[in-house]
């Protein structure tokens, strides 16, 4: 008996995968990216932006599709923020999220972003104990999370920790000003660095940049203070609620695109209303299923 072609033998031909099957077909390989002008954003590109008086954009991303979309939209830096805690995992604050929860999100973002620099937040409790702990956690995010750099919420007190991480080959972004992981120590969400307190932030930024941080991120800082910090250090700065004198800007994507409901912080600009779009799509789908309108012959084999 002749051996039949296995594809003839199959009951039905193969169809496109109905669910996600990895980064969807851009057809772009790692080597294509390396060859393309405007390939992977590297730390030195952020430095160049500061030197040239240019700006770059950073958004959070927590999974494959948003990472792909933002990457293709040309967002230079993707942050796998510990804001996943209260944007993915359903917690009230960023405090409960763990290294083991963030690592798979980070891997998904890093695998999906062909051009963006991927920065991972080290979650609360994973770097404060010692420089050794910070190096060990940073290594996990580069090795297991495939991140290109990490971010930690710090003050000048952590300069030696930053130095040890940088020495170990871990690029560090230093987050100063309002640091959400210290929400309880800071007495809630409060603007930092007003008036004379600006000197404290300038001192923090200088100490952290001296220790090797490649970038300083400032959250909820008066624009004048942020400008003074930016002028005091040679590395690029990123702002969130810190005015427009910083080299880069960052927003949490679910705020920026209108996925989250509720009161937004003053510094959030909503560029879309994804929540309404998704809600209307889900409502219509539900109605069509209940009425028997879906699936029609068009969607039936
Ligand atoms: O986790 C996060 O999303 C952040 C941004 C607010 C900068 O740290």
């Amino acid at each position: 008996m002749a051996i039949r072609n296995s594809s003839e033998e199959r009951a039905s031909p193969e169809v496109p995968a109905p669910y996600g099957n990895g980064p969807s077909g851009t057809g772009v390989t790692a080597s294509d990216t390396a060859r393309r002008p405007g390939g992977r954003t590297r730390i030195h590109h952020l430095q160049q932006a500061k030197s040239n008086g240019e700006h770059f954009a950073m958004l959070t991303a927590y999974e494959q599709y948003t990472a792909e979309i933002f990457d293709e939209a040309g967002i230079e830096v993707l942050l796998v923020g510990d804001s996943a805690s209260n944007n993915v995992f359903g917690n009230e604050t960023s405090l409960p999220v763990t290294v083991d929860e963030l690592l798979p999100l980070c891997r998904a973002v890093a695998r999906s972003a062909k051009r963006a620099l991927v920065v991972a937040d080290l979650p609360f409790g994973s770097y404060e104990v010692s420089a050794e702990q910070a190096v060990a956690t940073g290594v996990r995010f580069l090795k297991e999370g495939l991140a290109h750099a990490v971010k930690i919420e710090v003050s000048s007190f952590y300069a030696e920790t930053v130095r040890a991480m940088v020495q170990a080959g871990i690029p560090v972004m230093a987050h100063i000003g309002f640091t959400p992981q210290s929400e309880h120590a800071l007495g809630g969400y409060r603007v930092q660095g007003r008036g004379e307190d600006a000197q404290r932030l300038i001192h923090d930024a200088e100490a952290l940049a001296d220790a090797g941080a490649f970038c300083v991120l400032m959250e909820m800082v008066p624009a004048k203070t942020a400008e003074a910090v930016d002028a005091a250090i040679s590395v690029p700065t990123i702002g969130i609620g810190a005015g427009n004198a910083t080299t880069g800007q960052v927003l949490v994507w679910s705020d920026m695109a209108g996925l989250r409901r509720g009161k937004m912080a003053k510094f959030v600009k909503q560029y879309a209303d994804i929540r309404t779009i998704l809600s209307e799509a889900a409502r219509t789908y539900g109605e069509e299923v209940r009425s028997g309108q879906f699936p029609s012959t068009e969607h039936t084999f």
Side-chain angles (χ1 to χ4, degrees), residues 58 60 62 79 81-84 121 151 153 175 180 217 219 240 250 252:
M58 171 158 112
T60 62
Y62 312 110
L79 172 67
D82 60 351
S83 51
D121 249 337
K151 174 166 85 57
E153 297 187 7
H175 181 156
L217 184 149
E219 179 165 355
I240 175 163
V250 59
V252 170

Side-chain angles (χ1 to χ4, degrees), residues 153 177-190 192 200:
E153 297 187 7
F178 177 73
T179 44
Q181 293 175 9
S182 307
E183 176 189 336
H184 302 303
L186 294 171
Y189 276 66
R190 290 172 193 283
Q192 304 291 307
R200 175 177 62 90

